[in-house]
Each structure stands twice: as structure tokens, then as C-alpha cells.
Amino acid sequence: MTTGAPAGTVTGMAADAAAAGAGRDRLTGLLAARLAASSRPGRRTDGARLALAIEGGGMRGSVSAGMALALQELRLLDAFDAVYGASAGAISSAWLLSSRPEGLRGWVDPRFTRALIRKRNLLHGRPLVDVERLIEQVYIHEFPLDYDSILATPIELHPLATDIDTGEAADLHHELTDCHALRLAIRASAALPVLAGAPITLGGRRYFDAGLAESVPFRQALRDGATHILVLRSRPAPAAPADAPAGPSFGARFVARVALRRHPPQLRASYLGRAARLVDDDRVLAAYDTGDAAPLGACAVHSIRPDPSVPSIGRLETDISLLERCFEIGHRAVHVWHAEILAGHVPQAGRELAA
């Protein structure tokens, strides 16, 4: 893969409330300018680095998958320099950057759910969430994902995973050397502990699902020097800001103590801290959206969330009607955002490109 705009660093950048307040306008302004100029990834001269961050969440990833497809349909994808995906978001990122982005509708295809969620596997001692079969068989023979086209695109793919030895988020972009490594990276990003079986080994290190360390992959984009980030959320905005949990739930403590007992303490600590990190992610992203502060630097960060009518589904949901509704709500959210926010920034040339 080729590199997009030059990446800098946001380390040590002072909080800048004014920049945050204008964050949405700055992001949509950059999108509009790149559309109007027919800017192409890998050939930028504007000095900006625009990243797309796609949240996962198991089958709740159907929401952000609908959003991703809408971005492609609106011809906005070429304005981005990099796409970051966590867990199910990494699967959607791969489809989005492939030669067949319409494959994102696979999230509501019964073949997808039958391949991924295999409850009968429990009777045979195999993983309940069969990511390996999905990536290595279904996406090659039944519902082909053009892995070569993902490697060839000038837009960078950054699948995230959790490093088992450190418990920290790991960006697997540098491991994407061929199609086999690409498939392993996607599997690593979605390798749920216990449910999906053994960890994935890639480049001499072992990985579990990205959600243990970074469920919403915007922080890695910040670390890579993004100047603008659009975040596709799979969860609606909370009715009120949530307080940090007093501690891990009983279920989380049980999994850490029993299922993860043979893994390093750093991984168990990361797993136990998931709920608190998600609350903090919501707080930070809300601050960027409202302009109350720029907690992690002056990068322009804006989130698109589904509306509150989105069904509340679990990671292992297989009801196709519910998944279709989630997908369409996410898809509609981006079209509404485009009509209400971006369209006002797009000059006539940009409107014609996005029409």
C-alpha cells in the first residue's frame, strides 16, 4: 500500500477548544475542498491527513457497515487517506477498500451470519464465532472479497488488534505484505477471546480482538498524525453522559480469572478496563463534537452515530430482520449527515461529484 498525506504527530499538542468547536466545519470543509479539486489519495498537496475510523462491536458492526457503504455511494471515499477498523470494523474497512464495496451488504446476508455465528460448533469443541471460516473460506469461495484490490489501493488500511503480551492496541498496517497476511490481520482484529478460539499469530506476535484495547479506533489515527478524523459509531449517543463504572462487572472478572488465566496480566487488565475506556471514548468524542474541549489535541474529530431508534442488539445477533434494520439506520445516518452538514460546504463542482 502507498502512503497518503505526510503523517506528523499530535503528541504534546495543547488542548485547543476553539479548534474543537470548529472541528466539524474543518472536517467537512476539507472533504468539500478535496471533492471539488478531484483530489486523489496518495497525491495530496494540502498537507492534511484525513482518517476514517470504523467502530465494530460484533454484529452491531452492521450499523457502521451501512454507514461505510453510504460514504462510498456518495463518492466520498477518495477524500480519505487512511481507514482504521477495530474488530467488525476491520472487516467492514476491508470491504470498503476493496473492488467490491457493495459486499458490505453481506452483513445482512444469511450466508454471513451462518458462517460467522455457528452455535453447533460448541457441540464439537470448535469456536462459536468462526472468523477463520468466514475470512478463509466464505470470503474466498462463496462471497468473494478481492484481497488483492485492498493491497493495491492507495488508501491505507489499518486493522487494529490487541497485543496479548502488552495488552495494548496494535496497528497491523505494517504487516499487510500479501493476501495471506491481510487475512490474518483481519482475523486478528476480530479474534474474540474464548468465543473465536485461539489467538492469531502474525509477525511473531499473538493477537486478540481489537475491542479489548481500542473499540473505537480513533486514538490510533491520532497517534499516526491524523489532522482530521471522521468516526463511524455503531452505538447511538447515550441519553446522558455516563459515569465511569466503579469497577469491572462480575462477568468480566469471571472471564479474566478463568478464560484468560493463562495469558499475561497485561491482557487481563486491558480486558477488565474495556467498559471504562468506552465511557472515556464517549466523553472524548462528545467533547470534540460539542466543542467543549479538544482533549487529545487540535485534530478535527467528528462522529456520525445512528439515531436512537436503532435496535439494541448483541455481538452474536443472527436475526436478519434486526440486522437489516441496523444496517439501514446506519446507512441513512450518513445520508442525513451529508444532506444537512456536508452539502452546505460543497461548492457546485463538489456537489456534482457527490451527486
Side-chain angles (χ1 to χ4, degrees), residues 286-323:
Y288 274 114
D289 280 340
T290 61
D292 292 340
L296 300 179
C299 177
V301 182
H302 179 57
S303 301
I304 302 178
R305 285 183 179 264
D307 66 53
S309 69
V310 67
S312 178
I313 63 172
R315 289 179 175 273
L316 306 181
E317 183 61 65
T318 57
D319 186 319
I320 293 299
S321 63
L322 281 177
L323 295 173

Side-chain angles (χ1 to χ4, degrees), residues 59-68 233-234 306 310 326-327 329-331:
M59 298 308 292
R60 197 174 57 248
S62 57
V63 176
S64 49
M67 293 178 176
R233 301 297 307 272
S234 60
V310 67
C326 288
F327 186 94
I329 286 174
H331 189 263

Side-chain angles (χ1 to χ4, degrees), residues 107-120:
W107 281 96
V108 296
D109 188 313
R111 289 176 293 177
F112 177 93
T113 56
R114 285 197 300 267
L116 185 60
I117 313 298
R118 299 176 65 82
K119 296 178 181 179
R120 291 185 178 180

Side-chain angles (χ1 to χ4, degrees), residues 188-202:
S189 188
L192 289 165
V194 184
L195 296 177
I200 300 300
T201 299
L202 181 61

Side-chain angles (χ1 to χ4, degrees), residues 105-166:
R105 290 197 176 274
W107 281 96
V108 296
D109 188 313
R111 289 176 293 177
F112 177 93
T113 56
R114 285 197 300 267
L116 185 60
I117 313 298
R118 299 176 65 82
K119 296 178 181 179
R120 291 185 178 180
N121 275 5
L122 295 176
L123 301 175
H124 306 286
R126 295 198 294 267
L128 171 62
V129 181
D130 202 341
V131 180
E132 179 179 4
R133 182 174 186 274
L134 180 73
I135 302 300
E136 303 287 356
Q137 296 182 38
V138 175
Y139 282 177
I140 293 177
H141 304 296
E142 300 174 37
F143 198 81
L145 171 56
D146 185 353
Y147 292 107
D148 284 310
S149 68
I150 301 169
L151 295 172
T153 180
I155 303 175
E156 299 172 5
L157 173 62
H158 292 258
L160 269 58
T162 300
D163 188 305
I164 286 181
D165 292 327
T166 66

Side-chain angles (χ1 to χ4, degrees), residues 90-103:
I91 297 174
S92 291
S93 298
W95 277 108
L96 179 64
L97 294 179
S98 76
S99 61
R100 295 184 59 244
E102 65 274 12

Side-chain angles (χ1 to χ4, degrees), residues 17-74:
R24 185 185 70 182
D25 290 341
R26 289 167 55 210
L27 188 145
T28 53
L30 177 65
L31 273 170
R34 286 184 168 184
L35 281 172
S38 299
S39 174
R40 305 293 295 176
R43 305 175 188 174
R44 317 281 192 207
T45 59
D46 56 20
R49 180 175 172 86
L50 174 58
L52 180 66
I54 305 180
E55 182 181 13
M59 298 308 292
R60 197 174 57 248
S62 57
V63 176
S64 49
M67 293 178 176
L69 181 60
L71 286 178
Q72 193 277 331
E73 290 171 345
L74 291 166

